[in-house]
Amino acid sequence: MFDTFTPQLLELFATSFWETLVMVGISGVAGAALGLPLGIWLHLTHPGGVQANPKLNRVLGTTVNAVRSTPFIILLVAIIPFTRLVTGSSIGTAAAVVPLTIAAAPFIARLIESALREVDHGLVEAALAMGATTPQIVFKVLLPEALPGIVAALTITLVSLTGYSAMAGAIGGGGLGDLGIRYGYQRFLPEVMLAVVLVLIAFVQAVQSAGDWAVRRLSHK
């Protein structure tokens, strides 16, 4: 078994793990940059919200639900023309970041919306009574109060993106998923597939533990 893991294969493992980190990291940041404001707008425009707008809320909600309900493997294939337009290719690590970001943004938006709903509405009403503007309510009341929930949401997203990035390997997206498919499945090396799974489990555990620690620290504050 150990004879399988030659220096070349171990180097390939390191490269694939780095590609997974890049995919998850970039798509996580980009998804958060899109999903956070989208989640805020979903919360603000819902009936009874600070900027209640049922029509806009319905449009945003429908769009978010449509993307979230699309299986990721189908999304990967469906947006290949857009991916090629953005990155110049439909395969590789850079190409995988595009569908990962599109999948992450609505997922984050719903989690952010849920976290914001947990904020005591009395705090918002008090801020409104003191003449606070909408940006002040968002940045001085909602986001600070919901910060532990937001961090938990981002942690969940990173864990999900790790699984999605492995799935992207099925169409040449690079990373550990690609390594597992090419060596573990196509070349009939189950020990490589097992090693990929163990590395992914360890990585997910590390991300989840770091996220849980951050949530506990923020909650105590």
Side-chain angles (χ1 to χ4, degrees), residues 22-210:
V22 170
M23 284 190 288
V24 173
I26 295 178
S27 60
V29 171
L34 296 173
L36 180 59
L38 182 56
I40 293 172
W41 271 110
L42 283 169
H43 177 71
L44 293 177
T45 59
H46 82 276
V50 176
Q51 296 286 334
N53 189 329
K55 290 184 179 179
L56 177 59
N57 185 268
R58 194 175 302 114
V59 171
L60 292 176
T62 300
T63 303
V64 166
N65 292 338
V67 178
R68 288 186 62 203
S69 62
T70 304
F72 182 67
I73 192 67
I74 295 177
L75 180 66
L76 274 171
V77 177
I79 66 169
I80 282 178
F82 177 71
T83 301
R84 189 178 291 116
L85 178 65
V86 173
T87 65
S89 174
S90 61
I91 60 175
T93 303
V97 168
V98 177
L100 285 171
T101 300
I102 293 176
F107 185 75
I108 292 174
R110 281 302 188 192
L111 292 176
I112 296 298
E113 180 190 18
S114 178
L116 294 177
R117 284 184 177 177
E118 296 299 317
V119 176
D120 187 356
H121 191 63
L123 295 175
V124 177
E125 292 179 341
L128 288 172
M130 291 186 290
T133 63
T134 299
Q136 288 175 328
I137 290 174
V138 170
F139 291 104
K140 295 186 177 181
V141 179
L142 290 175
L143 292 181
E145 290 294 323
L147 191 55
I150 292 174
V151 172
L154 295 178
T155 301
I156 293 171
T157 302
L158 290 177
V159 170
S160 298
L161 285 174
T162 302
Y164 288 164
S165 71
M167 199 182 303
I171 62 167
L176 290 171
D178 183 48
L179 178 66
I181 292 292
R182 287 193 292 116
Y183 284 82
Y185 177 70
Q186 295 177 350
R187 300 190 184 185
F188 304 104
L189 295 174
E191 58 269 29
V192 174
M193 183 71 77
L194 177 61
V196 167
V197 171
L198 292 177
V199 170
L200 287 173
I201 290 174
F203 177 66
V204 166
Q205 185 61 46
V207 170
Q208 188 65 59
S209 297

